Amino acid sequence: MAERRDVVIIGAGAAGMMCAIEAGRRGRRVLVVDHARAPGEKIRISGGGRCNFTNIHAGPKNFLSANPHFCKSALARYTPRDFLDLVERHRIPWHEKTLGQLFCDNSAKDIIAMLLAEMNAADAELRLSTPIGAIEHDGRAFRVVTDAGTVEASSLVIATGGKSIPKMGATAFAYRIAEQFGLAVTETRAGLVPLTLDPATLAAHEGLPGVAVDVIARHGKTEFREAALFTHRGLSGPAILQISSYWREGEEIALTLCPDVDFAAVVAAARRENGRQAMQTVLAEHMPKKLAQLLVAELGIDGPLAEQPGRRIDALLQRLRDWRLRPPGSEGYRTAEVTLGGVDTAALDSRSMAAKAVPGLYFIGEAVDVTGWLGGYNFQWAWASGHAAGGYA
Ligand code: FDA
């Protein structure tokens, strides 16, 4: 005999827990099932353990999707302020770090505890360590077959996230279920991910790993102004993670180093005032010394500033303004913070997240083809889409 519930939610991550709270508040009998041993594992490790739980500036412009309009309805109906009100009601101390990014003062575990308390108050049941077998549908109810028996429900919400960090239990489950029910899935790829560099470039960058510098990172017309970090395998840091979501394998990215510094004026003044000094000494006043050394070495700049031919200085200024790099690849899902692409939004209703062609079936969170920038946007999408589905499921 199958157990009966009104709503079964698969995935006890950010989106699934928010959906359970909302559906439970409406009086629906909710069961959340997850194969992991603990709920909200990605919340726990997020934001360096302090969870960047939202961004006060979050809006549709901060998301990538084949249909940039799809996310508008859910984001407008559950805003960063709404989530912050919840955080404040639970007296969780928080702070704004930078660029509207809100973090817990203490621990990401405060957010998980808050969501569990809200689920409890809404009478939503949580079942962990429960692998899912088949999902069956007879046109009326869904039957979810688990190791611990079969559960039947009129609404089924898929909240199993994307493919990033498989060692934490990420699976392609949502895409498989979408395909089972005839819903399209857009191409998926790793997003918010460090980029790798080829061995020759890495050899030339010897000594740079660990060096961070303020940049504008560009790809086409998209640009982000934040820090970039040189690593043993390539490039990371917020500016690189942001631009990685727009970049595709083999394409170029461009960096403007230290965008606040007018290097043409700096070099001209240095030549006038003390032409005997070395170029790297001038650059090192504005950037890490190791990076200054690399730039002058790569362009063959040696000897006193006053003796440098104009074309070399022009080449250096060009490099500082527009350093072109062609990363051959990325670190992939192993370290990516998100998965780009996912369940095609054309198959879903933007108010409820319901599959248009399969009444009672919902997809929320990262599983859907809506991906946020770095900075609290992905959790805001998880809360907003979970809240939207919870109002209907
Ligand atoms: P999420 O991945 O959170 O949850 C999915 C759940 O489904 C998991 O509990 C999983 O165990 C379960 N599941 C998966 N497959 C299953 C299966 N086959 N059967 C049963 N259960 C299954 N975002 C942000 O806004 N601010 C931040 O600070 C960070 N920081 C961050 C750090 C790191 C290291 C990563 C990897 C990611 C972030 N993110 C982030 C992104 C954010 O964590 C992510 O977008 C959300 O957690 C997505 O929420 P979901 O609920 O959709 O999926």
Side-chain angles (χ1 to χ4, degrees):
M1 265 275 286
E3 283 179 70
R4 290 195 59 91
R5 293 289 194 286
D6 297 319
V7 186
V8 170
I9 299 169
I10 305 183
M17 289 199 275
M18 180 55 87
C19 182
I21 293 163
E22 210 39 44
R25 277 186 190 151
R26 288 172 43 239
R28 303 283 280 163
R29 288 173 306 152
V30 178
L31 173 68
V32 185
V33 190
D34 199 301
H35 65 175
R37 280 203 301 267
E41 279 292 87
K42 280 199 183 159
I43 300 176
R44 185 177 58 79
I45 62 158
S46 67
R50 291 221 163 85
C51 186
N52 178 191
F53 55 79
T54 193
N55 191 300
I56 44 173
H57 305 307
K61 65 180 187 312
N62 309 115
F63 294 86
L64 293 88
S65 172
N67 175 4
H69 303 292
F70 179 83
C71 61
K72 288 182 178 172
S73 171
L75 289 174
R77 284 178 298 125
Y78 193 82
T79 64
R81 186 66 242 179
D82 290 323
F83 192 76
L84 193 53
D85 285 347
L86 187 60
V87 167
E88 288 180 338
R89 274 207 304 281
H90 283 257
R91 300 184 199 289
I92 296 174
W94 60 274
H95 62 279
E96 179 180 344
K97 200 167 172 190
T98 173
L99 305 169
Q101 301 168 6
L102 306 192
F103 285 75
C104 296
D105 284 358
N106 300 327
S107 167
K109 290 179 191 162
D110 290 348
I111 298 291
I112 301 173
M114 173 188 84
L115 294 168
L116 290 174
E118 289 286 324
M119 276 173 67
N120 200 32
D123 262 339
E125 188 189 338
L126 174 62
R127 203 168 284 172
L128 296 166
S129 304
T130 307
I132 312 293
I135 304 271
E136 296 158 2
H137 185 227
D138 61 8
R140 193 185 49 84
F142 295 88
R143 285 167 65 85
V144 179
V145 181
T146 77
D147 277 11
T150 299
V151 193
E152 210 173 80
S154 53
S155 294
L156 175 65
V157 183
I158 307 297
T160 49
K163 293 195 266 190
S164 51
I165 327 262
K167 79 165 194 282
M168 290 191 69
T171 66
F173 182 83
Y175 316 132
R176 280 207 307 278
I177 300 305
E179 279 158 8
Q180 176 186 335
F181 286 94
L183 275 62
V185 175
T186 65
E187 180 204 2
T188 52
R189 59 201 169 87
L192 301 181
V193 65
L195 299 177
T196 57
L197 291 171
D198 60 79
T201 310
L202 286 176
H205 287 188
E206 197 197 7
L208 277 192
V211 167
V213 62
D214 184 23
V215 301
I216 295 172
R218 292 191 306 282
H219 176 271
K221 289 191 176 136
T222 308
E223 57 179 51
F224 291 94
R225 163 94 194 250
E226 283 189 69
L229 173 72
F230 293 87
T231 70
H232 287 287
R233 293 167 58 88
L235 292 165
S236 188
I240 301 301
L241 299 187
Q242 297 281 32
I243 212 68
S244 74
S245 294
Y246 291 83
W247 164 93
R248 281 172 182 266
E249 223 152 89
E251 289 179 351
E252 247 181 17
I253 61 163
L255 302 180
T256 299
L257 303 178
C258 311
D260 283 337
V261 182
D262 179 351
F263 282 109
V266 165
V267 172
R271 262 167 97 105
R272 259 195 329 269
E273 285 156 22
N274 179 3
R276 284 196 311 277
Q277 62 187 320
M279 180 66 90
Q280 72 182 60
T281 312
V282 178
L283 295 185
E285 280 173 30
H286 302 278
M287 65 175 66
K289 191 171 160 199
K290 284 179 179 166
L291 182 57
Q293 281 167 343
L294 171 95
L295 290 169
V296 299
E298 276 202 342
L299 294 170
I301 299 176
D302 199 9
L305 198 51
E307 290 173 16
Q308 301 307 318
R311 63 182 160 73
R312 278 224 181 113
I313 291 182
D314 289 346
L316 175 70
L317 295 176
Q318 173 67 16
R319 171 66 60 94
L320 292 163
R321 236 185 347 256
D322 191 28
W323 189 359
R324 300 287 171 119
L325 292 155
R326 195 180 288 279
S330 80
E331 299 271 359
Y333 290 117
R334 192 178 57 84
T335 59
E337 283 203 11
V338 284
T339 302
L340 290 150
V343 178
D344 193 341
T345 58
L348 305 177
D349 178 278
S350 64
R351 273 193 79 77
S352 63
M353 303 290 131
K356 289 175 187 166
V358 189
L361 179 62
Y362 300 78
F363 288 87
I364 57 174
E366 200 180 311
V368 178
D369 172 27
V370 173
T371 307
W373 292 357
L374 184 78
Y377 302 99
N378 284 295
F379 279 135
Q380 188 55 37
W381 171 246
W383 316 134
S385 60
H387 180 269
Y392 289 85

